[in-house]
C-alpha cells in the first residue's frame, strides 16, 4: 500500500502544476486583449486570436506532458505497474520509482528528495498512449475564444452604442460603458484560454484511463476554491466504470450526491482548476477534502432531493467561499 502522504502530495502537486499552466495562459490572454481596439475590433481581435492560439498550443503540450508524468507515477504507486514514457519506446523495460519521481519533479519545480524505495523496480506495461486530437482541440479553442472575446465584445458594443446620441468618443459615460464591455470580454476570454490550455492534460488522462485495464473508476480532485458543481462531484468520491465494480444497487447510493455518469467528471467550466484522476481499487486513496465534502453533502441536503438538494448545496458552498475571501 503506497504511503498516503505521498499520494496526497502527488494529487495536490498535479492540481497546482496544471493550475499554474492555466493561470499563466489566462494572464497572457488578458494582457494581449488590452491591444484589442473597439474601433477596429475585427482586425485587432484577429491578431489577438492568432497570438493566443499559439500560446494555448504550446501550453497545452506542457499540460499533456505533465499529465503523462503524473499518470505514470500515480499508477506505479497504486498498482506497481506503469506505462512507457509519453515520447519514446519503453514498453517491456523496467523503471524505478526514483526515476518516475525524478521525472515528475521537473514539473513541480521542486527537487526530488531521495526516498528509501527509490530503487524499487516498476514494470512498464505495453499500453500505448492515446493520440492527441490537435485538430479538434484547436477548433474547440478557437470557438471558445471567439465566442467569449470578439463576439461578446461586438454584442456589448452594439448594446451600449444604441441610439443616435450614443457611440461618441467624446461622451464620458459612453466611454466608461465601452471600457466595461471590453473588460468583460477580456476577462471571459482569458478564462476560456485557461480552460483550453488545460485540455491537453485533461484529455490525455481521460483517454488513457478509459483504455487502461487497471482503472476501475474516476474521482474529482478540486482546487482550493471549488464551485458548488465541482465540490458536489468531489463529494461523490469514486465513480466506477460499472455498478458491479461499485458494489452498489439502485440509482444512487443513499446520502450521496447524484453523480452517476463518469462523463460528468469530465465537465469543466472556465477558470476551473479541478482534475479528474483514475481510481485503481475500491480502497484507493482520495484527498481528505473529498471525504469532507461527502460528509457535508449528507448534512446539508438531509431530507432534500433533486433541485432542492442542489440549491441547498450551492448556498452552502457559496457561503464558504465568501467566508474564505473575507478572511484572506
Amino acid at each position: 500500500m503506497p504511503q498516503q502522504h505521498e499520494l496526497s502530495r502527488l494529487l495536490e502537486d498535479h492540481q497546482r502544476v496544471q493550475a499554474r499552466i492555466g493561470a499563466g495562459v489566462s494572464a497572457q490572454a488578458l494582457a494581449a486583449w488590452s491591444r484589442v481596439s473597439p474601433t477596429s475590433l475585427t482586425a485587432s481581435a484577429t491578431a489577438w486570436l492568432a497570438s493566443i492560439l499559439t500560446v494555448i498550443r504550446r501550453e497545452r503540450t506542457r499540460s499533456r506532458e505533465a499529465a503523462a508524468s503524473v499518470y505514470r507515477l500515480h499508477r506505479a504507486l497504486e498498482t506497481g505497474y506503469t506505462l512507457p514514457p509519453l515520447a519514446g519506446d519503453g514498453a517491456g523495460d523496467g523503471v524505478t520509482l526514483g526515476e518516475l519521481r525524478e521525472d515528475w519533479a521537473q514539473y513541480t519545480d521542486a527537487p526530488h528528495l531521495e526516498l528509501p524505495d527509490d530503487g524499487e523496480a516498476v514494470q512498464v506495461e505495453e499500453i500505448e498512449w492515446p493520440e492527441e486530437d490537435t485538430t479538434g482541440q484547436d477548433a474547440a479553442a478557437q470557438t471558445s475564444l471567439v465566442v467569449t472575446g470578439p463576439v461578446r465584445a461586438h454584442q456589448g458594443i452594439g448594446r451600449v452604442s444604441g441610439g443616435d446620441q450614443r457611440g461618441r468618443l467624446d461622451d464620458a459615460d459612453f466611454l466608461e460603458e465601452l471600457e466595461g464591455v471590453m473588460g468583460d470580454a477580456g476577462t471571459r476570454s482569458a478564462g476560456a484560454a485557461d480552460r483550453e490550455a488545460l485540455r491537453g492534460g485533461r484529455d490525455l488522462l481521460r483517454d488513457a484511463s478509459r483504455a487502461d485495464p487497471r482503472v476501475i473508476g474516476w474521482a474529482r480532485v478540486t482546487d482550493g476554491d471549488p464551485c458548488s458543481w465541482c465540490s458536489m462531484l468531489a463529494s461523490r468520491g469514486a465513480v466506477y466504470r460499472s455498478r458491479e465494480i461499485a458494489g452498489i444497487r439502485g440509482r444512487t447510493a443513499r446520502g450521496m450526491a447524484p453523480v452517476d455518469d463518469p462523463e460528468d467528471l469530465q465537465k469543466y467550466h472556465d477558470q476551473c482548476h479541478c482534475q479528474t484522476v483514475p481510481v485503481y481499487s475500491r480502497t484507493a486513496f482520495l484527498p481528505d477534502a473529498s471525504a469532507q465534502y461527502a460528509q457535508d453533502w449528507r448534512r446539508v441536503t438531509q431530507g432534500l432531493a433533486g433541485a432542492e438538494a442542489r440549491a441547498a448545496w450551492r448556498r452552502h458552498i457559496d457561503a464558504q467561499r465568501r467566508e474564505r475571501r473575507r478572511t484572506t
Side-chain angles (χ1 to χ4, degrees):
M1 173 71 68
Q3 293 294 319
Q4 289 191 352
H5 175 71
E6 180 173 10
L7 285 169
S8 176
R9 189 178 68 249
L10 179 64
L11 297 181
E12 290 173 0
D13 284 349
H14 176 233
Q15 186 274 321
R16 281 195 290 265
V17 166
Q18 296 290 355
R20 187 166 63 240
I21 292 172
V25 173
S26 178
Q28 291 184 68
L30 191 58
W33 182 261
S34 65
R35 297 190 292 273
V36 176
S37 170
T39 59
S40 58
L41 183 61
T42 299
S44 57
T46 298
W48 167 83
L49 178 63
S51 67
I52 297 308
L53 283 174
T54 298
V55 173
I56 287 175
R57 291 186 188 105
R58 182 186 69 235
E59 296 305 296
R60 201 171 60 204
T61 297
R62 286 186 60 213
S63 173
R64 178 179 171 85
E65 291 172 348
S69 180
V70 78
Y71 193 105
R72 297 181 73 218
L73 177 55
H74 185 212
R75 193 178 192 271
L77 291 170
E78 288 278 23
T79 71
Y81 298 86
T82 190
L83 302 185
L86 185 60
D89 181 15
D93 296 336
V95 67
T96 65
L97 276 176
E99 290 170 333
L100 293 173
R101 288 168 175 148
E102 187 70 33
D103 182 72
W104 170 239
Q106 67 177 307
Y107 296 99
T108 65
D109 295 328
H112 164 55
L113 303 178
E114 292 188 13
L115 295 174
D117 60 349
D118 271 355
E120 183 177 318
V122 180
Q123 184 176 337
V124 180
E125 296 188 305
E126 297 184 17
I127 300 176
E128 293 185 359
W129 290 102
E131 292 290 331
E132 185 177 15
D133 180 15
T134 55
T135 300
Q137 290 175 339
D138 283 350
Q142 179 164 322
T143 297
S144 185
L145 290 173
V146 168
V147 169
T148 56
V151 170
R152 189 177 185 85
H154 177 74
Q155 293 171 340
I157 292 170
R159 185 174 62 253
V160 302
S161 299
D164 295 339
Q165 302 303 316
R166 301 309 307 275
R168 290 168 55 95
L169 296 183
D170 58 353
D171 182 335
D173 291 338
F174 168 69
L175 289 177
E176 183 177 353
E177 291 183 37
L178 187 61
E179 182 178 357
V181 164
M182 295 302 292
D184 173 66
T187 299
R188 295 298 185 100
S189 59
D194 178 325
R195 177 168 52 84
E196 291 303 327
L198 298 190
R199 189 184 292 272
R202 286 168 171 166
D203 282 5
L204 178 105
L205 287 179
R206 179 198 65 200
D207 296 340
S209 62
R210 283 175 176 172
D212 190 338
R214 294 189 182 274
V215 172
I216 66 171
W218 298 267
R220 186 78 156 219
V221 176
T222 66
D223 60 21
D225 188 31
C227 67
S228 61
W229 167 254
C230 293
S231 56
M232 183 183 74
L233 292 176
S235 78
R236 186 62 174 85
V239 178
Y240 297 98
R241 287 188 188 271
S242 68
R243 300 189 188 285
E244 290 74 19
I245 293 176
I248 61 175
R249 296 180 179 179
R251 176 165 173 73
T252 305
R254 183 179 298 276
M256 300 186 78
V259 181
D260 289 295
D261 187 351
E263 286 299 315
D264 282 346
L265 298 179
Q266 303 297 337
K267 297 175 182 177
Y268 305 97
H269 55 81
D270 290 350
Q271 295 181 318
C272 171
H273 292 147
C274 300
Q275 297 293 326
T276 299
V277 298
V279 172
Y280 298 95
S281 72
R282 291 284 306 281
T283 59
F285 170 80
L286 291 176
D288 292 340
S290 298
Q292 185 63 55
Y293 285 134
Q295 178 180 324
D296 290 349
W297 173 272
R298 289 190 291 270
R299 174 177 57 82
V300 170
T301 66
Q302 185 174 11
L304 303 175
E308 290 184 345
R310 291 190 295 272
W313 182 249
R314 183 169 57 252
R315 290 192 295 270
H316 168 70
I317 294 299
D318 288 349
Q320 284 191 335
R321 299 180 81 186
R322 286 194 298 271
E323 180 63 19
R324 277 196 296 269
R325 290 166 186 172
R326 188 186 68 82
T327 57
T328 56

